[in-house]
Amino acid sequence: GITRHYQLDINLQNVTRLCHTKSMVTANGQFPGPRIVAREGDNLLIRVVNHVQNNISIHWHGIRQLRSGWADGPAYITQCPIQTGQSYVYNYTIVGQRGTLWWHAHISWLRSTLYGPLIILPKRGVPYPFAKPYKEIPIIFGEWFNADTEAIINQALQTGGGPNVSDAYTLNGLSGPLYNCSAKDTFKLKVKPGKTYLLRLINAALNDELFFSIANHTLKIVEVDAVYVKPFDTEILLITPGQTTNVLLQTKPNFPNATFLMTARPYATGQGTFDNSTVEGILEYESPSNSIHSSIKKLPLFKPTLPALNDTAFAATFTSKLRSLANAQFLANVPQNVDKKFFFTVGLGTNPCPINQTCQGPSNTTMFSASVNNVSFTMPTTAILQSHFFGQSNGVYTPDFPTTPIVPFNYTGNPPNNTMVSVELVLQDTSILGAESHPLHLHGFNFYVVGQGFGNYDPNKDPAKFNLVDPVERNTVGVPSGGWVAIRFLADNPGVWFMHCHLEVHTSWGLKMAWLVLDGKLPNQNLLPPPADLPKC
Ligand code: C2O
């Protein structure tokens, strides 16, 4: 690989949507932010310069960051934020990954405006496991808030509920014709007939899982979270915040005298307030230059149909179709045996705590809280990774974090020769305030989704049904609404790794935690020392 240099200048920029102009935090003045492109094996040196009053930190969502946790980015977990007037160079090498990922601010709710695609091409000369597409197009789903982001998070924290509702969904920052004063800001995908396009879909929305479809066109899913999957065709897909999905779009062989809409709309099962609106974009065929295809003749307009807002059956069916490619070239290294098992409940509750639960975090008696194993995480004031590396104690706030709230701790097997431990984690939606899907994201690892189901996880029966052959490998998984998901991963990456719901409002309420993965026995299994310019708190 080569070394690639990027610079992100964090600046305020006036941006207008829905006839509402606001001064917002952007990178290089762009919204969505600039595209970062590299190849597998490359070293990235990305200088982030903070010219705004806010503290800044950038996360490279889905990058493994092998031994380079200092570059991961979540504020107060792996680094102190970059303060006004300061800069920090995120330095990491892309090992064993190629596909679509993304980057976003990882402090407060700044990721609502500060995000962009991170595209990893295969090594030079290495083909995709599908025919080379004619063109590659990133499409980022986002949310537009007329209000200032900081005002919104404060509302969410103080009232424990809305209004944290966005004013529009966006495709590449454009809100589309269904909103007031918005038609001129419509995403148009211009295509030629008879070609294959690779759409790199990224859900950067703050708080909503989204359905997506393009009228009268089939999407072939080929990759999720920068891992190839067994290709399959679908009319509609589901993508949670944090997830990425690559699809092949085959355009019609001849110029169709028609307009096709693409739409995205939420999948929501919870009881909170959310934006139940639709963003529309247009798939537009370029007319053949020698034709007289009329602008006079009225063109038929095709609209896709999306599932009902709370169509959990669709969600379950769709996600169960995702299987890792697991062919000779791309092996699925699924841990067949597990050294450590964890069972975590994830969900919302209200304070005061339900009986038998320990709740921490905000103590307003009427507001929501969210927790992992009944503990609501509160942010430390110094970065946990630094505290860990330098042996300080002030970054550790819940040394008594319960590993098993319901089933007893179950350690099976012998410790392996090296110190890489295979981990199984079952995430159970508590459904205390009604069933709700939570897209859980783990930093620093990909994991295999070996099982999922509805109701309570049964440790005696459910493991027999686990898929240990070709489970999908990813970094963000929807814990099914009213159900559970089981994941396995190899704890081969020393450091401190954040895990949280990628619905930003749930993260703020405390649905987050950090894993501490210790160094291995060999020097090449150790966390590298921090860079000299690592920000100080
Ligand atoms: Cu995309 Cu911790 O986040």
Side-chain angles (χ1 to χ4, degrees):
I2 59 167
T3 296
R4 295 180 193 246
H5 297 262
Y6 279 90
Q7 179 153 332
L8 299 181
D9 280 289
I10 310 304
N11 275 314
L12 288 178
Q13 175 73 32
N14 278 342
V15 177
T16 304
R17 294 288 184 275
L18 317 180
C19 282
H20 186 98
T21 301
K22 69 172 177 176
S23 166
M24 62 191 215
V25 179
T26 61
N28 303 351
Q30 290 169 244
F31 173 69
R35 207 177 283 185
I36 289 176
V37 182
R39 281 188 191 277
E40 178 181 348
D42 287 351
N43 175 225
L44 276 168
L45 292 178
I46 307 171
R47 175 179 296 278
V48 176
V49 190
N50 182 3
H51 306 280
V52 299
Q53 291 308 307
N54 311 64
N55 281 342
I56 295 294
S57 178
I58 304 286
H59 170 51
W60 319 93
H61 182 117
I63 293 279
R64 288 285 326 266
Q65 300 290 7
L66 281 164
R67 305 172 64 214
S68 60
W70 307 106
D72 191 42
Y76 303 108
I77 307 297
T78 60
Q79 68 166 96
C80 298
I82 308 166
Q83 295 174 16
T84 308
Q86 307 286 306
S87 68
Y88 178 44
V89 178
Y90 290 87
N91 178 350
Y92 56 90
T93 300
I94 302 167
V95 183
Q97 294 185 281
R98 79 305 295 165
T100 304
L101 293 173
W102 60 301
W103 59 268
H104 62 78
H106 211 305
I107 182 165
S108 187
W109 279 22
L110 289 177
R111 78 173 179 86
S112 69
T113 62
L114 202 50
Y115 61 83
L118 173 49
I119 291 166
I120 312 165
L121 302 170
K123 287 184 176 162
R124 206 167 274 289
V126 176
Y128 293 126
F130 41 83
K132 188 174 160 45
Y134 171 68
K135 260 191 185 161
E136 304 188 359
I137 319 271
I139 303 179
I140 310 197
F141 306 98
E143 284 181 88
W144 171 266
F145 296 81
N146 284 335
D148 177 70
T149 315
E150 298 300 298
I152 295 158
I153 181 182
N154 287 336
Q155 280 174 320
L157 285 177
Q158 280 162 19
T159 65
N164 48 57
V165 178
S166 61
D167 296 284
Y169 294 110
T170 54
L171 300 174
N172 286 349
L174 301 168
S175 44
L178 294 182
Y179 300 100
N180 279 339
C181 198
S182 173
K184 64 180 187 324
D185 294 318
T186 299
F187 173 66
K188 282 200 181 96
L189 174 57
K190 294 199 174 144
V191 295
K192 291 191 198 312
K195 303 276 188 208
T196 305
Y197 291 81
L198 177 67
L199 308 184
R200 298 175 174 274
L201 309 176
I202 298 164
N203 188 348
L206 275 184
N207 292 320
D208 290 286
E209 306 188 34
L210 295 168
F211 294 120
F212 175 72
S213 184
I214 304 180
N216 294 59
H217 288 74
T218 299
L219 305 171
K220 187 184 289 296
I221 304 216
V222 292
E223 182 218 298
V224 296
D225 295 3
V227 185
Y228 296 125
V229 296
K230 290 195 173 77
F232 68 95
D233 289 341
T234 188
E235 310 292 316
I236 301 160
L237 61 85
L238 174 65
I239 184 166
T240 80
Q243 291 181 338
T244 52
T245 305
N246 279 5
V247 299
L248 296 175
L249 168 71
Q250 178 71 48
T251 56
K252 302 198 176 293
N254 302 308
F255 174 75
N257 204 7
T259 305
F260 303 96
L261 293 180
M262 63 181 82
T263 58
R265 188 165 53 59
Y267 160 58
T269 52
Q271 304 186 326
T273 43
F274 57 91
D275 174 7
N276 181 22
S277 65
T278 303
V279 55
E280 277 183 358
I282 295 172
L283 179 71
E284 187 175 285
Y285 280 77
E286 290 175 22
S287 56
S289 52
N290 60 350
S291 89
I292 46 149
H293 278 99
S294 56
S295 44
I296 313 156
K297 199 165 100 190
K298 194 162 190 295
L299 302 177
L301 179 77
F302 291 98
K303 278 188 179 229
T305 315
L306 293 176
L309 182 71
N310 59 356
D311 195 341
T312 292
F314 177 93
T317 309
F318 176 77
T319 52
S320 67
K321 284 184 196 155
L322 295 167
R323 298 295 167 97
S324 107
L325 191 56
N327 65 11
Q329 194 188 354
F330 302 100
L331 295 174
N333 295 309
V334 192
Q336 299 292 313
N337 298 301
V338 172
D339 302 313
K340 292 204 175 197
K341 290 186 182 178
F342 296 90
F343 180 90
F344 292 173
T345 53
V346 295
L348 305 187
T350 44
N351 282 329
C353 287
I355 292 169
N356 296 334
Q357 292 194 31
T358 321
C359 299
Q360 295 177 4
S363 60
N364 180 313
T365 51
T366 57
M367 69 174 289
F368 287 111
S369 66
S371 61
V372 179
N373 275 358
N374 312 325
V375 177
S376 283
F377 185 105
T378 35
M379 278 302 198
T381 49
T382 189
I384 305 174
L385 186 61
Q386 275 160 292
S387 300
H388 163 62
F389 189 84
F390 294 108
Q392 300 156 347
S393 59
N394 55 349
V396 181
Y397 39 87
T398 50
D400 55 346
F401 182 80
T403 55
T404 49
I406 295 172
V407 283
F409 182 67
N410 179 2
Y411 181 90
T412 54
N414 299 313
N417 301 337
N418 60 29
T419 49
M420 288 184 200
V421 168
S422 51
V423 174
E424 179 182 290
L425 169 62
V426 174
L427 293 158
Q428 171 84 52
D429 176 28
T430 59
S431 309
I432 287 170
L433 291 184
E436 182 158 21
S437 170
H438 296 282
L440 261 285
H441 170 47
L442 175 61
H443 287 224
F445 298 91
N446 280 344
F447 49 75
Y448 293 96
V449 183
V450 296
Q452 63 176 56
F454 292 115
N456 288 329
Y457 171 68
D458 182 340
N460 297 314
K461 293 209 184 111
D462 288 321
K465 291 177 254 163
F466 284 176
N467 173 9
L468 301 178
V469 178
D470 62 353
V472 68
E473 179 186 345
R474 60 188 329 166
N475 64 57
T476 304
V477 67
V479 179
S481 183
W484 55 271
V485 66
I487 64 175
R488 287 188 179 185
F489 62 98
L490 197 61
D492 60 353
N493 195 9
V496 172
W497 303 106
F498 209 25
M499 190 178 82
H500 59 94
C501 182
H502 221 286
L503 304 178
E504 207 58 38
V505 66
H506 293 177
T507 312
S508 301
W509 291 339
L511 213 172
K512 53 193 168 185
M513 59 162 303
W515 293 81
L516 170 61
V517 178
L518 299 175
D519 280 351
K521 286 184 184 137
L522 303 174
N524 66 1
Q525 297 171 337
N526 291 352
L527 173 67
L528 296 167
D533 62 340
L534 186 72
K536 298 194 173 45
C537 280

